[in-house]
Amino acid sequence: MARRNTHTGRLAAVAVLAVSALAAAGLGANAAHAGHETFAAVSSLDSSTSANWAGYVVTQPSTTYTSVTATWKEPKVACGSDNAGESSAFWVGLGGSSQTSQALEQVGTSADCDSTTGKPYYYAWYELVPANSVTTKLVVHPGDTITTSVNVLDGTTIELQVKNRTRHTSFTTKLPYATPDLTSAEWIAEAPSACDSFRCRQIPLSNFGSVSFTKIAAIGNAVGGTLTANPGWTSTAISLVPDGNGRGYLPGPDQFSSRATSTAGATPGAASADGRSFAVQYTATAG
């Protein structure tokens, strides 16, 4: 493996910065490693663009977020010989609100097109950065109703859970984590990059059509909230626009990335009045 598999992200005050990854098996035998990386400038106080994130993030100074959850139907990704190697991921997470943070806790699903055959591949995963991404054995098919959650149990123990409500199966793990980042909560559809020890190359986003995040909720400072109904949280909408200028970020010593190789992106719709749902739409050409 050239570089550890990761699903990570960062949202800074003036930029969104992220690095994430998929299981190499989902991209076929030709892929040793895949990941996600991004750089994007915030265009206003309540909206942003990212090279690989589309969705919403909530933050608030002096707020510690200890729980995040959402439900979605796994999208049916459009795959074929012309789409080999494309991929996408859908997740909820805690952390990543600081540009200097080295931690993020996240769990979700992915919908990839195998890099050799172009056939669709679906799976669930979790990650506690800086540890490697872990692919679970939970069976995921398009159309399945998926609920994921990240919960901080005692400050240094993280519970990550994926429920396949269609198949009545679930995966739960509780892991020690001494230094979690709890400065934000997020609901994200993400595009990947292929990473080695020196750089990340943007992988084309697989055409997932549309995905709706529902039953959104988070807890900050022991108070529950949503994207709009919360105790003063700032909700930021993020649109995925591939970054062709070559800028990017990798945590640790490998702080170099290469430019995007795809025009595909994604755009979040407006949040519902109660802040409990929104949809992300794939677009073949973003900008």
Side-chain angles (χ1 to χ4, degrees), residues 12 15 18 30-31 36 38 48 89 103 105 133 138-139 144 148 153 166 180 194 211 213 224 228 231-232 246 271 285:
N30 293 334
H36 306 187
T38 174
S48 174
E105 308 82 55
S133 160
L138 190 73
V139 174
D144 287 355
T148 63
L153 301 183
T166 300
V211 59
F213 290 84
T228 58
T285 302

Side-chain angles (χ1 to χ4, degrees), residues 7-275:
H7 286 267
T8 70
R10 293 154 190 266
L11 177 65
V14 294
V16 178
L17 304 169
V19 176
S20 303
L22 310 172
L27 295 175
N30 293 334
H33 168 77
H36 306 187
E37 60 89 17
T38 174
F39 177 98
V42 171
S43 57
S44 71
L45 292 178
D46 58 359
S47 64
S48 174
T49 59
S50 165
N52 73 324
W53 278 20
Y56 280 84
V57 174
V58 294
T59 57
Q60 186 69 15
S62 302
T63 296
T64 297
Y65 293 91
T66 55
S67 180
V68 61
T69 186
T71 296
W72 61 85
K73 284 190 177 182
E74 183 71 6
K76 183 178 181 179
V77 68
C79 289
S81 58
D82 293 337
N83 309 107
E86 296 180 352
S87 55
S88 54
F90 317 99
W91 54 270
V92 302
L94 296 174
S97 63
S98 169
Q99 184 174 343
T100 59
S101 174
Q102 296 296 305
L104 184 140
E105 308 82 55
Q106 54 188 164
V107 62
T109 61
S110 288
D112 302 342
C113 302
D114 187 276
S115 63
T116 301
T117 66
K119 292 182 179 180
Y121 180 78
Y122 305 89
Y123 56 96
W125 54 267
Y126 69 88
E127 183 174 9
L128 299 180
V129 177
N132 291 356
S133 160
V134 177
T135 300
T136 77
K137 294 182 179 180
L138 190 73
V139 174
V140 177
H141 289 294
D144 287 355
T145 298
I146 304 295
T147 297
T148 63
S149 62
V150 180
N151 299 288
V152 182
L153 301 183
D154 59 9
T156 58
T157 300
I158 306 296
E159 179 187 70
L160 303 115
Q161 185 172 77
V162 186
K163 293 182 179 180
N164 188 325
R165 298 190 178 277
T166 300
R167 302 180 185 279
H168 306 289
T169 55
S170 64
F171 168 86
T172 302
T173 186
K174 299 176 183 179
L175 299 171
Y177 196 37
T179 57
D181 182 353
L182 307 177
T183 57
S184 64
E186 46 264 340
W187 302 263
I188 300 296
E190 187 173 9
S193 298
C195 301
D196 59 25
S197 297
F198 302 100
R199 69 189 67 193
C200 283
R201 175 183 59 82
Q202 192 86 29
I203 293 174
L205 178 69
S206 59
N207 185 350
F208 59 85
S210 179
V211 59
S212 295
F213 290 84
T214 63
K215 299 181 180 179
I216 287 170
I219 296 175
N221 287 355
V223 178
T226 69
L227 296 179
T228 58
N230 52 60
W233 301 348
T234 298
S235 179
T236 302
I238 302 173
S239 296
L240 194 164
V241 179
D243 180 14
N245 62 17
R247 294 179 295 177
Y249 185 84
L250 290 173
D254 303 324
Q255 296 180 6
F256 182 85
S257 65
S258 59
R259 67 183 59 210
T261 58
S262 172
T263 62
T267 304
S272 60
D274 61 3

